[in-house]
Amino acid sequence: MTQLETAITAVTVYPDRARVTRSGKANLVAGEHRIRVAPLPTGLLHDSIRVAGQGDVTVLGVDIVTERQAATSDEQVADLLARMRTLDAAMTELADADRAAEARVAFLKRLAQQSAERLAKADEDRVIEFADSLEAQYGAVHAARRERERLRQEHIREHQALERQLADLRGKDRTDIKVAVITVDAAQPVTVDLEVSYVVPSARWYSTYDLRLGETGLTLRWFGLVLQSTGEDWPECRLQLSTARPAQALDVPELDPWFITAEAPPARMYRKASRMAGSADMSADTVSFGAPGGAMPAAAMPAPRMRESVATVEQGVTAATYTPQRTVAVPSDGTSHRTVITALDLEAQLDHVTAPVRSLEAVLRATARNTSEHTLPAGRAALFHDTEYVGATDLETWAPGEERELALGVDDRIRVERELVRRNATKATLGSTRRTEVEYTITISNHGARPATVTVLDRLPVSRDAAITVRETTAKPQPADRDELGVLTWKTALAPRADTTITFGYRVESAKGVTIYGLDD
């Protein structure tokens, strides 16, 4: 059997797996050969193995087998442990010598203190001789201490190296490995270039984005984050990111019969979904980038922009494959490694949305269209206003030509106030009804230097009981939209440094003895 030395030369990563390609060269004489490729990841999918290449040979078959791997010998482990124990003993001796040196230094200090009074009466030569002796002994002690510290650091480095060798030996102490055995037939002596590819789980890639709002518009940068724990490290090689989902393309969808019956279904609990600010009608005028009087005029003389290194794309029937220009090494440790896929300038219109009954903040909203050929997968997007990070949002899958509303963060230049200006409640008397009248004002101020279009959302209570009625009493100006769930929508255009006020009110009436629940905001 011929052992083929291979290296990973290409990896295609899918959202939940990866296809790895190994390449190697073999010199064969005429006849039938069995070529061994090992070790391979233990989790590879057996039915995914493929062989290709160049050379005048016939591939007769490919088998995946499990081979027993010789365990690390006990002698190697014992030798490493013995050397580590020797180093431990040497470092213990150095520590003992340090303690003895500390005792010697303490003794010299006491000796100097005890001799100070006696030497004060001695002649100068004896004092100098004693001082020189102390200096020499101190010097010898400190020199020996420095030498022991040097030896200690050498022992520590050697001990760490032995620990790594021991960990490597124990890490390789596996009982079996996966091996690909390729059977080929050569009609004559030949040199063949073989490629072995296989699919492994425990690998994936996902999308993240940067959404940057600047003077020239809205820019989206798309990144692919690759991570894997397949058991083999991927070096810098031809890396491709595919949007195909092999596990979800195996069955043609079918429908089961739809039965109806006269029997009442069991009672179910329903929860009313809250209406979000982003669900406002988009039929009103919005501000376009670069439009006369718009929110984002272009700079007179823009500086040249940095060029992006983007991936090349191959569009398939149901998926796309991206090849980043910069290769990325991905170790098998589960950490993510980022590569740039593309950068897009989006056509977008801006406006603001506020629902002051929920929050006195105005959210900057962009209505953008994907004018590229890319289908952008779902992912997390970081939001920037120029260079300032303002938050993050989640993007759903975004197809070419599709329009999407994007929340770009709170704009503090649009100030919102909501005030209860009137609340009257009357008690029910004999034959009368109980009445509650409420009135609010909402003030919106544009403190920015550009015009702004603001959509304001508020609501009226909705009765679920025939004994309770709700009537709108005032609305100035009239809402642009009302729906059956009581949501009112105003749209207003504010000049710079301008403000506007909205007033609305309602009346709630109920019969005597009827308790109203949920009326308070």
Side-chain angles (χ1 to χ4, degrees), residues 211-213 218 277-278 296 350-355 359-367 381-386 388-395 405-414 416 453-454:
L211 276 171
R212 193 175 302 273
L213 181 64
L218 186 65
M296 287 292 169
L350 295 180
D351 69 341
H352 294 79
V353 179
T354 180
S359 174
L360 298 178
E361 294 176 334
V363 175
L364 180 62
R365 174 177 60 181
T367 304
L383 303 177
F384 296 86
H385 289 181
D386 291 325
E388 295 295 327
Y389 174 76
V390 296
T393 187
D394 291 314
L395 290 184
E405 293 182 5
L406 307 173
L408 301 182
V410 174
D411 191 344
D412 291 328
R413 295 169 298 185
I414 306 298
V416 181
T453 299
V454 183

mmCIF file of all heavy atoms in Angstrom, residues 211-213 218 277-278 296 350-355 359-367 381-386 388-395 405-414 416 453-454:
data_model
loop_
_atom_site.group_PDB
_atom_site.id
_atom_site.type_symbol
_atom_site.label_atom_id
_atom_site.label_comp_id
_atom_site.label_asym_id
_atom_site.label_seq_id
_atom_site.Cartn_x
_atom_site.Cartn_y
_atom_site.Cartn_z
ATOM 1 N N LEU A 211 -23.787 48.432 9.055
ATOM 2 C CA LEU A 211 -24.631 49.405 8.361
ATOM 3 C C LEU A 211 -24.152 50.791 8.787
ATOM 4 O O LEU A 211 -24.218 51.144 9.971
ATOM 5 C CB LEU A 211 -26.101 49.219 8.738
ATOM 6 C CG LEU A 211 -26.878 48.150 7.969
ATOM 7 C CD1 LEU A 211 -28.235 47.929 8.608
ATOM 8 C CD2 LEU A 211 -27.035 48.538 6.520
ATOM 9 N N ARG A 212 -23.643 51.548 7.808
ATOM 10 C CA ARG A 212 -23.040 52.838 8.131
ATOM 11 C C ARG A 212 -23.788 53.947 7.397
ATOM 12 O O ARG A 212 -23.870 53.951 6.164
ATOM 13 C CB ARG A 212 -21.561 52.832 7.745
ATOM 14 C CG ARG A 212 -20.764 54.006 8.315
ATOM 15 C CD ARG A 212 -19.294 53.839 7.972
ATOM 16 N NE ARG A 212 -18.759 52.607 8.480
ATOM 17 C CZ ARG A 212 -18.250 52.456 9.701
ATOM 18 N NH1 ARG A 212 -18.227 53.490 10.528
ATOM 19 N NH2 ARG A 212 -17.771 51.296 10.081
ATOM 20 N N LEU A 213 -24.341 54.879 8.175
ATOM 21 C CA LEU A 213 -25.045 56.031 7.623
ATOM 22 C C LEU A 213 -24.084 57.210 7.592
ATOM 23 O O LEU A 213 -23.587 57.650 8.634
ATOM 24 C CB LEU A 213 -26.269 56.369 8.476
ATOM 25 C CG LEU A 213 -27.121 57.550 8.011
ATOM 26 C CD1 LEU A 213 -27.737 57.262 6.657
ATOM 27 C CD2 LEU A 213 -28.204 57.835 9.046
ATOM 28 N N LEU A 218 -26.256 55.330 2.660
ATOM 29 C CA LEU A 218 -26.232 54.154 3.516
ATOM 30 C C LEU A 218 -25.364 53.082 2.872
ATOM 31 O O LEU A 218 -25.614 52.674 1.736
ATOM 32 C CB LEU A 218 -27.649 53.637 3.736
ATOM 33 C CG LEU A 218 -27.828 52.482 4.731
ATOM 34 C CD1 LEU A 218 -27.448 52.940 6.132
ATOM 35 C CD2 LEU A 218 -29.270 51.986 4.703
ATOM 36 N N ALA A 277 -43.292 50.317 16.099
ATOM 37 C CA ALA A 277 -43.185 51.562 15.345
ATOM 38 C C ALA A 277 -42.844 51.318 13.894
ATOM 39 O O ALA A 277 -43.242 52.054 13.003
ATOM 40 C CB ALA A 277 -42.138 52.465 15.995
ATOM 41 N N GLY A 278 -42.087 50.247 13.647
ATOM 42 C CA GLY A 278 -41.660 49.978 12.274
ATOM 43 C C GLY A 278 -42.766 49.525 11.361
ATOM 44 O O GLY A 278 -42.563 49.360 10.162
ATOM 45 N N MET A 296 -29.748 64.195 3.459
ATOM 46 C CA MET A 296 -28.353 63.852 3.285
ATOM 47 C C MET A 296 -27.781 64.464 2.016
ATOM 48 O O MET A 296 -27.602 63.776 0.998
ATOM 49 C CB MET A 296 -28.183 62.315 3.239
ATOM 50 C CG MET A 296 -28.367 61.671 4.593
ATOM 51 S SD MET A 296 -27.020 62.145 5.675
ATOM 52 C CE MET A 296 -27.655 61.549 7.223
ATOM 53 N N LEU A 350 -35.014 58.153 4.209
ATOM 54 C CA LEU A 350 -34.992 58.308 5.656
ATOM 55 C C LEU A 350 -36.246 58.991 6.169
ATOM 56 O O LEU A 350 -36.771 59.901 5.528
ATOM 57 C CB LEU A 350 -33.773 59.144 6.085
ATOM 58 C CG LEU A 350 -32.389 58.554 5.843
ATOM 59 C CD1 LEU A 350 -31.340 59.517 6.333
ATOM 60 C CD2 LEU A 350 -32.249 57.211 6.507
ATOM 61 N N ASP A 351 -36.727 58.565 7.313
ATOM 62 C CA ASP A 351 -37.706 59.296 8.085
ATOM 63 C C ASP A 351 -37.548 58.878 9.544
ATOM 64 O O ASP A 351 -36.693 58.066 9.890
ATOM 65 C CB ASP A 351 -39.134 59.090 7.573
ATOM 66 C CG ASP A 351 -39.639 57.678 7.813
ATOM 67 O OD1 ASP A 351 -38.804 56.784 8.036
ATOM 68 O OD2 ASP A 351 -40.865 57.467 7.781
ATOM 69 N N HIS A 352 -38.352 59.464 10.412
ATOM 70 C CA HIS A 352 -38.314 59.151 11.833
ATOM 71 C C HIS A 352 -39.664 58.591 12.249
ATOM 72 O O HIS A 352 -40.708 58.978 11.717
ATOM 73 C CB HIS A 352 -37.999 60.396 12.669
ATOM 74 C CG HIS A 352 -36.629 60.944 12.440
ATOM 75 N ND1 HIS A 352 -36.310 61.716 11.339
ATOM 76 C CD2 HIS A 352 -35.486 60.823 13.170
ATOM 77 C CE1 HIS A 352 -35.029 62.052 11.408
ATOM 78 N NE2 HIS A 352 -34.514 61.534 12.509
ATOM 79 N N VAL A 353 -39.644 57.690 13.220
ATOM 80 C CA VAL A 353 -40.862 57.092 13.755
ATOM 81 C C VAL A 353 -40.812 57.201 15.275
ATOM 82 O O VAL A 353 -39.784 56.904 15.895
ATOM 83 C CB VAL A 353 -41.004 55.620 13.336
ATOM 84 C CG1 VAL A 353 -42.270 55.019 13.932
ATOM 85 C CG2 VAL A 353 -41.022 55.482 11.825
ATOM 86 N N THR A 354 -41.925 57.632 15.875
ATOM 87 C CA THR A 354 -42.000 57.693 17.328
ATOM 88 C C THR A 354 -43.362 57.201 17.790
ATOM 89 O O THR A 354 -44.387 57.448 17.140
ATOM 90 C CB THR A 354 -41.758 59.128 17.845
ATOM 91 O OG1 THR A 354 -41.835 59.135 19.268
ATOM 92 C CG2 THR A 354 -42.753 60.123 17.278
ATOM 93 N N ALA A 355 -43.373 56.485 18.895
ATOM 94 C CA ALA A 355 -44.603 56.046 19.560
ATOM 95 C C ALA A 355 -44.500 56.516 21.008
ATOM 96 O O ALA A 355 -44.091 55.766 21.900
ATOM 97 C CB ALA A 355 -44.764 54.535 19.484
ATOM 98 N N SER A 359 -42.413 55.207 24.300
ATOM 99 C CA SER A 359 -41.110 55.792 24.584
ATOM 100 C C SER A 359 -41.038 57.165 23.935
ATOM 101 O O SER A 359 -41.466 57.340 22.788
ATOM 102 C CB SER A 359 -39.990 54.898 24.037
ATOM 103 O OG SER A 359 -38.731 55.504 24.183
ATOM 104 N N LEU A 360 -40.466 58.123 24.676
ATOM 105 C CA LEU A 360 -40.344 59.484 24.156
ATOM 106 C C LEU A 360 -39.054 59.608 23.348
ATOM 107 O O LEU A 360 -38.203 60.469 23.610
ATOM 108 C CB LEU A 360 -40.362 60.493 25.312
ATOM 109 C CG LEU A 360 -41.638 60.512 26.153
ATOM 110 C CD1 LEU A 360 -41.508 61.511 27.287
ATOM 111 C CD2 LEU A 360 -42.857 60.834 25.283
ATOM 112 N N GLU A 361 -38.903 58.762 22.364
ATOM 113 C CA GLU A 361 -37.727 58.753 21.500
ATOM 114 C C GLU A 361 -38.179 58.629 20.051
ATOM 115 O O GLU A 361 -39.211 58.002 19.758
ATOM 116 C CB GLU A 361 -36.786 57.594 21.848
ATOM 117 C CG GLU A 361 -36.157 57.702 23.225
ATOM 118 C CD GLU A 361 -35.309 56.495 23.557
ATOM 119 O OE1 GLU A 361 -35.586 55.408 22.998
ATOM 120 O OE2 GLU A 361 -34.368 56.614 24.363
ATOM 121 N N ALA A 362 -37.388 59.212 19.170
ATOM 122 C CA ALA A 362 -37.649 59.105 17.737
ATOM 123 C C ALA A 362 -36.576 58.215 17.121
ATOM 124 O O ALA A 362 -35.379 58.467 17.278
ATOM 125 C CB ALA A 362 -37.641 60.481 17.082
ATOM 126 N N VAL A 363 -37.012 57.167 16.442
ATOM 127 C CA VAL A 363 -36.093 56.220 15.809
ATOM 128 C C VAL A 363 -35.905 56.607 14.350
ATOM 129 O O VAL A 363 -36.882 56.822 13.618
ATOM 130 C CB VAL A 363 -36.641 54.780 15.916
ATOM 131 C CG1 VAL A 363 -35.747 53.810 15.156
ATOM 132 C CG2 VAL A 363 -36.759 54.368 17.379
ATOM 133 N N LEU A 364 -34.653 56.731 13.939
ATOM 134 C CA LEU A 364 -34.347 56.996 12.538
ATOM 135 C C LEU A 364 -34.550 55.712 11.745
ATOM 136 O O LEU A 364 -33.982 54.665 12.066
ATOM 137 C CB LEU A 364 -32.900 57.492 12.398
ATOM 138 C CG LEU A 364 -32.431 57.824 10.992
ATOM 139 C CD1 LEU A 364 -33.256 58.957 10.392
ATOM 140 C CD2 LEU A 364 -30.952 58.191 10.998
ATOM 141 N N ARG A 365 -35.382 55.800 10.701
ATOM 142 C CA ARG A 365 -35.729 54.628 9.901
ATOM 143 C C ARG A 365 -35.288 54.847 8.464
ATOM 144 O O ARG A 365 -35.471 55.923 7.898
ATOM 145 C CB ARG A 365 -37.233 54.370 9.963
ATOM 146 C CG ARG A 365 -37.705 53.253 9.045
ATOM 147 C CD ARG A 365 -39.189 52.986 9.206
ATOM 148 N NE ARG A 365 -40.021 54.142 8.895
ATOM 149 C CZ ARG A 365 -41.352 54.139 8.992
ATOM 150 N NH1 ARG A 365 -41.986 53.062 9.429
ATOM 151 N NH2 ARG A 365 -42.050 55.227 8.680
ATOM 152 N N ALA A 366 -34.688 53.822 7.896
ATOM 153 C CA ALA A 366 -34.311 53.846 6.483
ATOM 154 C C ALA A 366 -35.125 52.786 5.749
ATOM 155 O O ALA A 366 -35.201 51.640 6.181
ATOM 156 C CB ALA A 366 -32.825 53.577 6.308
ATOM 157 N N THR A 367 -35.744 53.187 4.662
ATOM 158 C CA THR A 367 -36.416 52.242 3.776
ATOM 159 C C THR A 367 -35.481 52.018 2.591
ATOM 160 O O THR A 367 -35.288 52.907 1.757
ATOM 161 C CB THR A 367 -37.765 52.791 3.301
ATOM 162 O OG1 THR A 367 -38.557 53.110 4.440
ATOM 163 C CG2 THR A 367 -38.487 51.764 2.450
ATOM 164 N N ALA A 381 -26.425 42.962 12.536
ATOM 165 C CA ALA A 381 -25.852 44.131 11.885
ATOM 166 C C ALA A 381 -25.494 45.172 12.940
ATOM 167 O O ALA A 381 -26.328 45.527 13.776
ATOM 168 C CB ALA A 381 -26.824 44.732 10.869
ATOM 169 N N ALA A 382 -24.249 45.642 12.899
ATOM 170 C CA ALA A 382 -23.823 46.746 13.755
ATOM 171 C C ALA A 382 -24.134 48.056 13.044
ATOM 172 O O ALA A 382 -23.909 48.189 11.838
ATOM 173 C CB ALA A 382 -22.328 46.641 14.054
ATOM 174 N N LEU A 383 -24.665 49.020 13.782
ATOM 175 C CA LEU A 383 -25.109 50.290 13.205
ATOM 176 C C LEU A 383 -24.115 51.393 13.553
ATOM 177 O O LEU A 383 -23.703 51.529 14.709
ATOM 178 C CB LEU A 383 -26.495 50.669 13.746
ATOM 179 C CG LEU A 383 -27.609 49.641 13.529
ATOM 180 C CD1 LEU A 383 -28.897 50.126 14.184
ATOM 181 C CD2 LEU A 383 -27.824 49.389 12.046
ATOM 182 N N PHE A 384 -23.760 52.177 12.542
ATOM 183 C CA PHE A 384 -22.834 53.289 12.728
ATOM 184 C C PHE A 384 -23.422 54.538 12.084
ATOM 185 O O PHE A 384 -23.999 54.472 10.996
ATOM 186 C CB PHE A 384 -21.472 52.999 12.085
ATOM 187 C CG PHE A 384 -20.730 51.841 12.700
ATOM 188 C CD1 PHE A 384 -20.960 50.543 12.270
ATOM 189 C CD2 PHE A 384 -19.807 52.061 13.706
ATOM 190 C CE1 PHE A 384 -20.282 49.475 12.833
ATOM 191 C CE2 PHE A 384 -19.121 51.006 14.278
ATOM 192 C CZ PHE A 384 -19.360 49.713 13.838
ATOM 193 N N HIS A 385 -23.273 55.674 12.746
ATOM 194 C CA HIS A 385 -23.506 56.976 12.132
ATOM 195 C C HIS A 385 -22.130 57.584 11.908
ATOM 196 O O HIS A 385 -21.471 58.006 12.867
ATOM 197 C CB HIS A 385 -24.359 57.868 13.028
ATOM 198 C CG HIS A 385 -25.793 57.428 13.100
ATOM 199 N ND1 HIS A 385 -26.746 58.097 13.842
ATOM 200 C CD2 HIS A 385 -26.456 56.391 12.514
ATOM 201 C CE1 HIS A 385 -27.912 57.494 13.718
ATOM 202 N NE2 HIS A 385 -27.759 56.447 12.922
ATOM 203 N N ASP A 386 -21.702 57.582 10.666
ATOM 204 C CA ASP A 386 -20.318 57.915 10.335
ATOM 205 C C ASP A 386 -19.401 56.952 11.086
ATOM 206 O O ASP A 386 -19.424 55.773 10.817
ATOM 207 C CB ASP A 386 -20.021 59.383 10.649
ATOM 208 C CG ASP A 386 -20.760 60.324 9.694
ATOM 209 O OD1 ASP A 386 -20.910 59.942 8.524
ATOM 210 O OD2 ASP A 386 -21.189 61.402 10.125
ATOM 211 N N GLU A 388 -19.414 56.674 14.534
ATOM 212 C CA GLU A 388 -19.938 56.410 15.866
ATOM 213 C C GLU A 388 -20.820 55.163 15.855
ATOM 214 O O GLU A 388 -21.743 55.045 15.048
ATOM 215 C CB GLU A 388 -20.753 57.610 16.372
ATOM 216 C CG GLU A 388 -19.942 58.876 16.577
ATOM 217 C CD GLU A 388 -18.906 58.714 17.673
ATOM 218 O OE1 GLU A 388 -19.172 57.977 18.637
ATOM 219 O OE2 GLU A 388 -17.820 59.320 17.553
ATOM 220 N N TYR A 389 -20.527 54.236 16.767
ATOM 221 C CA TYR A 389 -21.362 53.044 16.929
ATOM 222 C C TYR A 389 -22.601 53.414 17.729
ATOM 223 O O TYR A 389 -22.505 53.998 18.812
ATOM 224 C CB TYR A 389 -20.574 51.958 17.649
ATOM 225 C CG TYR A 389 -21.385 50.726 17.994
ATOM 226 C CD1 TYR A 389 -21.711 49.798 17.014
ATOM 227 C CD2 TYR A 389 -21.825 50.510 19.296
ATOM 228 C CE1 TYR A 389 -22.454 48.669 17.326
ATOM 229 C CE2 TYR A 389 -22.572 49.396 19.619
ATOM 230 C CZ TYR A 389 -22.878 48.478 18.630
ATOM 231 O OH TYR A 389 -23.620 47.364 18.930
ATOM 232 N N VAL A 390 -23.793 53.080 17.204
ATOM 233 C CA VAL A 390 -25.035 53.475 17.859
ATOM 234 C C VAL A 390 -25.877 52.292 18.294
ATOM 235 O O VAL A 390 -26.898 52.479 18.963
ATOM 236 C CB VAL A 390 -25.874 54.393 16.942
ATOM 237 C CG1 VAL A 390 -25.147 55.680 16.667
ATOM 238 C CG2 VAL A 390 -26.248 53.691 15.635
ATOM 239 N N GLY A 391 -25.510 51.076 17.950
ATOM 240 C CA GLY A 391 -26.298 49.919 18.372
ATOM 241 C C GLY A 391 -26.213 48.792 17.360
ATOM 242 O O GLY A 391 -25.334 48.756 16.499
ATOM 243 N N ALA A 392 -27.156 47.863 17.477
ATOM 244 C CA ALA A 392 -27.172 46.697 16.591
ATOM 245 C C ALA A 392 -28.612 46.285 16.342
ATOM 246 O O ALA A 392 -29.515 46.604 17.124
ATOM 247 C CB ALA A 392 -26.380 45.540 17.202
ATOM 248 N N THR A 393 -28.814 45.584 15.242
ATOM 249 C CA THR A 393 -30.139 45.093 14.891
ATOM 250 C C THR A 393 -29.977 43.774 14.160
ATOM 251 O O THR A 393 -28.866 43.393 13.781
ATOM 252 C CB THR A 393 -30.886 46.110 14.006
ATOM 253 O OG1 THR A 393 -32.239 45.671 13.819
ATOM 254 C CG2 THR A 393 -30.229 46.247 12.650
ATOM 255 N N ASP A 394 -31.075 43.056 13.989
ATOM 256 C CA ASP A 394 -31.061 41.777 13.284
ATOM 257 C C ASP A 394 -31.662 41.960 11.900
ATOM 258 O O ASP A 394 -32.763 42.501 11.757
ATOM 259 C CB ASP A 394 -31.861 40.711 14.058
ATOM 260 C CG ASP A 394 -31.171 40.314 15.346
ATOM 261 O OD1 ASP A 394 -29.955 40.086 15.313
ATOM 262 O OD2 ASP A 394 -31.853 40.235 16.387
ATOM 263 N N LEU A 395 -30.941 41.505 10.883
ATOM 264 C CA LEU A 395 -31.438 41.529 9.511
ATOM 265 C C LEU A 395 -31.984 40.158 9.142
ATOM 266 O O LEU A 395 -31.328 39.141 9.384
ATOM 267 C CB LEU A 395 -30.316 41.903 8.537
ATOM 268 C CG LEU A 395 -29.790 43.343 8.558
ATOM 269 C CD1 LEU A 395 -28.763 43.521 7.448
ATOM 270 C CD2 LEU A 395 -30.923 44.329 8.377
ATOM 271 N N GLU A 405 -37.319 47.781 5.775
ATOM 272 C CA GLU A 405 -37.222 48.876 6.734
ATOM 273 C C GLU A 405 -36.141 48.555 7.756
ATOM 274 O O GLU A 405 -36.129 47.464 8.336
ATOM 275 C CB GLU A 405 -38.557 49.092 7.450
ATOM 276 C CG GLU A 405 -39.659 49.607 6.543
ATOM 277 C CD GLU A 405 -40.938 49.860 7.310
ATOM 278 O OE1 GLU A 405 -40.918 49.716 8.554
ATOM 279 O OE2 GLU A 405 -41.956 50.194 6.681
ATOM 280 N N LEU A 406 -35.231 49.501 7.972
ATOM 281 C CA LEU A 406 -34.099 49.317 8.877
ATOM 282 C C LEU A 406 -34.149 50.385 9.958
ATOM 283 O O LEU A 406 -34.223 51.579 9.655
ATOM 284 C CB LEU A 406 -32.777 49.401 8.124
ATOM 285 C CG LEU A 406 -32.622 48.488 6.898
ATOM 286 C CD1 LEU A 406 -31.334 48.821 6.161
ATOM 287 C CD2 LEU A 406 -32.647 47.028 7.317
ATOM 288 N N ALA A 407 -34.119 49.978 11.210
ATOM 289 C CA ALA A 407 -34.025 50.921 12.322
ATOM 290 C C ALA A 407 -32.564 51.284 12.516
ATOM 291 O O ALA A 407 -31.722 50.422 12.744
ATOM 292 C CB ALA A 407 -34.600 50.311 13.593
ATOM 293 N N LEU A 408 -32.246 52.586 12.433
ATOM 294 C CA LEU A 408 -30.861 53.047 12.476
ATOM 295 C C LEU A 408 -30.518 53.754 13.786
ATOM 296 O O LEU A 408 -29.556 54.500 13.850
ATOM 297 C CB LEU A 408 -30.582 53.988 11.297
ATOM 298 C CG LEU A 408 -30.791 53.392 9.902
ATOM 299 C CD1 LEU A 408 -30.436 54.402 8.840
ATOM 300 C CD2 LEU A 408 -29.971 52.118 9.734
ATOM 301 N N GLY A 409 -31.290 53.523 14.813
ATOM 302 C CA GLY A 409 -30.959 54.079 16.112
ATOM 303 C C GLY A 409 -31.799 55.291 16.456
ATOM 304 O O GLY A 409 -32.517 55.867 15.633
ATOM 305 N N VAL A 410 -31.711 55.716 17.718
ATOM 306 C CA VAL A 410 -32.464 56.863 18.233
ATOM 307 C C VAL A 410 -31.767 58.154 17.802
ATOM 308 O O VAL A 410 -30.546 58.284 17.906
ATOM 309 C CB VAL A 410 -32.560 56.786 19.765
ATOM 310 C CG1 VAL A 410 -33.210 58.051 20.326
ATOM 311 C CG2 VAL A 410 -33.349 55.548 20.187
ATOM 312 N N ASP A 411 -32.567 59.094 17.298
ATOM 313 C CA ASP A 411 -32.054 60.411 16.908
ATOM 314 C C ASP A 411 -32.461 61.410 17.994
ATOM 315 O O ASP A 411 -33.621 61.809 18.099
ATOM 316 C CB ASP A 411 -32.632 60.823 15.550
ATOM 317 C CG ASP A 411 -31.945 62.050 14.982
ATOM 318 O OD1 ASP A 411 -31.250 62.747 15.745
ATOM 319 O OD2 ASP A 411 -32.105 62.315 13.776
ATOM 320 N N ASP A 412 -31.479 61.832 18.803
ATOM 321 C CA ASP A 412 -31.773 62.738 19.911
ATOM 322 C C ASP A 412 -32.061 64.159 19.455
ATOM 323 O O ASP A 412 -32.464 65.001 20.274
ATOM 324 C CB ASP A 412 -30.591 62.753 20.892
ATOM 325 C CG ASP A 412 -30.448 61.436 21.631
ATOM 326 O OD1 ASP A 412 -31.484 60.805 21.878
ATOM 327 O OD2 ASP A 412 -29.312 61.032 21.947
ATOM 328 N N ARG A 413 -31.880 64.452 18.186
ATOM 329 C CA ARG A 413 -32.201 65.787 17.688
ATOM 330 C C ARG A 413 -33.699 65.974 17.486
ATOM 331 O O ARG A 413 -34.177 67.096 17.349
ATOM 332 C CB ARG A 413 -31.447 66.049 16.385
ATOM 333 C CG ARG A 413 -29.934 66.093 16.553
ATOM 334 C CD ARG A 413 -29.226 66.080 15.230
ATOM 335 N NE ARG A 413 -29.497 64.847 14.492
ATOM 336 C CZ ARG A 413 -28.923 64.521 13.333
ATOM 337 N NH1 ARG A 413 -28.046 65.350 12.793
ATOM 338 N NH2 ARG A 413 -29.226 63.398 12.735
ATOM 339 N N ILE A 414 -34.443 64.870 17.449
ATOM 340 C CA ILE A 414 -35.904 64.932 17.388
ATOM 341 C C ILE A 414 -36.421 64.689 18.807
ATOM 342 O O ILE A 414 -36.281 63.590 19.342
ATOM 343 C CB ILE A 414 -36.479 63.893 16.409
ATOM 344 C CG1 ILE A 414 -35.841 64.042 15.024
ATOM 345 C CG2 ILE A 414 -37.992 64.018 16.324
ATOM 346 C CD1 ILE A 414 -36.100 65.376 14.365
ATOM 347 N N VAL A 416 -39.439 64.571 21.690
ATOM 348 C CA VAL A 416 -40.858 64.210 21.745
ATOM 349 C C VAL A 416 -41.345 64.362 23.184
ATOM 350 O O VAL A 416 -40.670 63.930 24.131
ATOM 351 C CB VAL A 416 -41.086 62.766 21.256
ATOM 352 C CG1 VAL A 416 -42.574 62.424 21.287
ATOM 353 C CG2 VAL A 416 -40.520 62.575 19.853
ATOM 354 N N THR A 453 -38.881 64.238 8.355
ATOM 355 C CA THR A 453 -40.239 63.717 8.253
ATOM 356 C C THR A 453 -40.461 62.760 9.413
ATOM 357 O O THR A 453 -39.682 61.819 9.601
ATOM 358 C CB THR A 453 -40.458 62.991 6.928
ATOM 359 O OG1 THR A 453 -40.254 63.911 5.852
ATOM 360 C CG2 THR A 453 -41.852 62.414 6.849
ATOM 361 N N VAL A 454 -41.498 62.994 10.213
ATOM 362 C CA VAL A 454 -41.718 62.229 11.433
ATOM 363 C C VAL A 454 -43.082 61.556 11.367
ATOM 364 O O VAL A 454 -44.092 62.199 11.077
ATOM 365 C CB VAL A 454 -41.629 63.125 12.685
ATOM 366 C CG1 VAL A 454 -41.777 62.287 13.950
ATOM 367 C CG2 VAL A 454 -40.312 63.904 12.705
#
